[in-house]
Amino acid sequence: MSLTRRPRALTLDLDDTLWPVWPAIERAEAVLHAWLRDHAPATAAAFDTPALRAVREQVGREHPERAHDLSWLRQTSIARALAQCGDDPVLAEPAFALFMDHRQRVELYPDVPAALARLSAAFPVLALTNGNADVARIGLGAHFVGTLGARTFGLGKPHPAFFQAACAQLGCAPHEVLHIGDDWALDIEGAHAAGLPSVWVRRRPELTVPAPTAAQPWRIVADLQALADALDALPD
Ligand SMILES: [Mg+2]
């Protein structure tokens, strides 16, 4: 979808658009496992990190209606592993809180601090995420007018209703809102289906546009500085 004038607002994906998510998740999982070794040694011995992931996937298969709620899936899977090993499942709550604390300790891509400051000075920016990152805890809250998360909304990207709810929250029509994200299926095709123009942030240059696809982003950029430059070049 083309863009001939400046959008009125932006919706911005978080994980893998502003920071690489897997290093943070892997560190958080390692901290979680070390905590279990201290507080629930039987569970820690029976479930290493890959085994805990397998429990989470199993819980997800059993509860497709909670697929949008990664926090619930993770805490429920920890409780299940604890119960299976005779440990107190109530420990899942502090264990998950610790995981969440470390999951927020992301390392921003180097272009992000300056580019996000430019974007948020020029546009209202709403975070639109299927994950459980918290921009306030990450220290980026000042750049966002809010967050719409799949967990609180009840479903996530690529569902058009999720994008439409974001536009309603911004007080804009879909064609007035530019969505920015790294995931072709979730961000670019999702935005297209809901009538929003989009920008594909292609952090890995080896990725190519999948074919066939009806979705066409306004721009494909390597980072957010390139996006800020492209937006600056648009007429008001
Ligand atoms: Mg993403």
Side-chain angles (χ1 to χ4, degrees):
M1 197 178 295
S2 72
L3 204 59
T4 51
R5 56 196 301 183
R6 286 160 67 83
R8 286 184 59 207
L10 310 178
T11 50
L12 183 59
D13 174 54
L14 300 177
D15 291 324
D16 290 328
T17 295
L18 301 185
W19 51 75
V21 69
W22 275 104
I25 299 273
E26 283 172 1
R27 283 193 297 272
E29 285 177 336
V31 170
L32 167 66
H33 200 263
W35 189 91
L36 289 173
R37 280 200 297 275
D38 287 342
H39 295 85
T43 301
F47 290 92
D48 59 8
T49 290
L52 277 174
R53 276 187 200 162
V55 177
R56 195 167 62 96
E57 282 158 20
Q58 176 63 27
V59 172
R61 281 191 294 275
E62 292 168 17
H63 294 276
E65 79 286 358
R66 303 299 287 263
H68 60 277
D69 190 346
L70 300 180
S71 294
W72 183 87
L73 289 176
R74 190 171 292 272
Q75 186 167 330
T76 302
S77 63
I78 297 168
R80 179 178 293 187
L82 288 162
Q84 280 181 15
C85 296
D87 286 316
D88 189 347
V90 85
L91 289 172
E93 197 176 324
F96 176 71
L98 182 75
F99 171 87
M100 276 296 273
D101 180 44
H102 284 264
R103 184 259 187 272
Q104 310 300 335
R105 299 186 190 188
V106 295
E107 247 179 78
L108 304 181
Y109 288 116
D111 54 287
V112 165
L116 191 53
R118 279 176 72 188
L119 294 172
S120 65
F123 303 95
V125 183
L126 180 71
L128 195 63
T129 180
N130 284 8
N132 46 22
D134 180 335
V135 292
R137 285 169 75 177
I138 290 167
L140 297 175
H143 295 301
F144 292 89
V145 296
T147 295
L148 185 60
R151 177 168 194 236
T152 47
F153 185 66
L155 49 83
K157 293 179 278 186
H159 203 293
F162 191 52
F163 288 91
Q164 284 151 3
C167 295
Q169 192 166 329
L170 288 160
C172 296
H175 72 272
E176 298 173 319
V177 178
L178 179 67
H179 178 68
I180 301 144
D182 71 288
D183 188 297
W184 184 272
L186 298 181
D187 292 303
I188 307 309
E189 291 186 348
H192 175 80
L196 285 76
S198 67
V199 168
W200 189 26
V201 183
R202 187 170 57 177
R203 295 279 179 190
R204 290 185 291 146
E206 70 273 17
L207 291 179
T208 54
V209 172
T213 178
Q216 194 65 50
W218 170 58
R219 289 282 190 278
I220 300 173
V221 297
D223 59 38
L224 294 192
Q225 289 288 7
L227 165 64
D229 292 342
L231 283 168
D232 277 350
L234 280 173
D236 281 340

